[in-house]
Amino acid sequence: MFPIAVLASGRGSNLRAILEAQQNNYLQAQVGLVISDNPEAGALKIAQEFGVNHHVLDFALYDDKEDYNRRLIKLLTEAGIQLVVLAGYMRLLSPAVVEAFPYKIINIHPSLLPAFPGLAAQRQALDYGVKFTGCTVHFVDKGMDTGPIIGQRVVPVLANDTLEELTNRILKEEHILYPQMINRVATNKVRIINRRVAVQEEEKDL
Ligand code: GRF
């Protein structure tokens, strides 16, 4: 099986969706490792619940960034990880980590990139007044939410949406998109030509 690691800093609803997809035999990969930079992350409890190997890499406990990166790269390499899946990982990966895993790191972002990169993407979409937004899974490069786009799902922004309503509508689509896009990469269906990701065959919805 294609071993993947999930890196998460927060509540971990995407991690749960990925692990449920694995439990349902939908996922064509196996979560071998969960890593969090936050000892309080809900994602760690979810990893425990599903019996997945998990580690805390608390940034505060490392003397310098390089130490932290070395430890992260070592953990991923030793576990034979083929794909690193960022699911609400709130730390920008350093160039050393990105270089160690070229086109082997993916991220999910709650907007239709390149619109609204960075923090509070749902708030940005509401404030701008767009009529549609959504979520994006993309390869990670050295920039912030700038790598080649693997897939997207669209949701409408309704006239009276609160931030919470819009966030939840997007999150529901994230939970469908992420397992699909992991499969897309794990089964070698994507080719990157310049910065465009060509897909050989679209997968069915969950
Ligand atoms: C999601 O909205 C994801 O798009 C963003 O961070 C959030 C993580 O949520 N990158 P969760 O921890 O997976 O519930």
Side-chain angles (χ1 to χ4, degrees):
M1 239 331 179
F2 190 86
I4 65 174
V6 179
L7 272 56
S9 305
R11 91 200 124 176
S13 72
N14 276 285
L15 171 66
R16 182 179 289 284
I18 293 164
L19 287 169
E20 283 176 357
Q22 180 177 310
Q23 219 167 39
N24 299 337
N25 295 319
Y26 174 82
L27 201 71
Q28 291 171 285
Q30 184 163 21
V31 182
L33 192 57
V34 169
I35 298 175
S36 183
D37 58 333
N38 169 17
E40 305 302 324
L44 290 168
K45 292 196 190 75
I46 295 171
Q48 198 168 16
E49 178 189 327
F50 282 79
V52 178
N53 211 345
H54 50 284
H55 288 268
V56 181
L57 268 191
D58 188 348
F59 201 69
L61 303 181
Y62 285 80
D63 294 341
D64 66 48
K65 215 172 164 201
E66 287 321 305
D67 262 12
Y68 182 88
N69 293 334
R70 266 195 293 275
R71 177 85 181 115
L72 178 58
I73 294 171
K74 192 162 182 267
L75 269 176
L76 296 169
T77 314
E78 282 179 356
I81 295 304
Q82 302 275 321
L83 181 70
V84 179
V85 174
L86 306 185
Y89 190 65
M90 297 311 284
R91 200 168 281 287
L92 196 61
L93 290 180
S94 74
V97 179
V98 176
E99 274 161 25
F101 297 93
Y103 293 110
K104 287 185 173 168
I105 308 176
I106 63 176
N107 181 43
I108 191 158
H109 183 77
S111 76
L112 296 175
L113 289 172
F116 316 131
L119 292 177
Q122 303 93 333
R123 173 89 264 162
Q124 292 186 57
L126 270 184
D127 289 350
Y128 197 95
V130 289
K131 301 299 181 204
F132 292 91
T133 183
C135 50
T136 303
V137 173
H138 64 93
F139 285 109
V140 171
D141 62 11
K142 290 175 193 166
M144 160 97 80
D145 304 322
T146 50
I149 291 173
I150 305 168
Q152 297 182 304
R153 286 178 80 90
V154 179
V155 305
V157 182
L158 306 180
N160 298 317
D161 263 349
T162 62
L163 179 60
E164 196 190 356
E165 283 164 345
L166 180 61
T167 300
N168 288 337
R169 192 174 308 123
I170 296 171
L171 201 58
K172 228 171 122 191
E173 300 304 316
E174 293 185 34
H175 297 162
I176 298 169
L177 183 66
Y178 223 178
Q180 273 182 348
M181 296 303 105
I182 292 169
N183 282 351
R184 198 174 266 194
V185 176
T187 56
N188 212 14
K189 292 220 181 77
V190 300
R191 295 283 171 273
I192 304 157
I193 305 154
N194 299 322
R195 58 162 296 120
R196 284 183 64 183
V197 177
V199 183
Q200 277 169 11
E201 170 196 332
E202 304 258 329
E203 42 301 283
K204 293 189 198 81
D205 275 6
L206 266 171

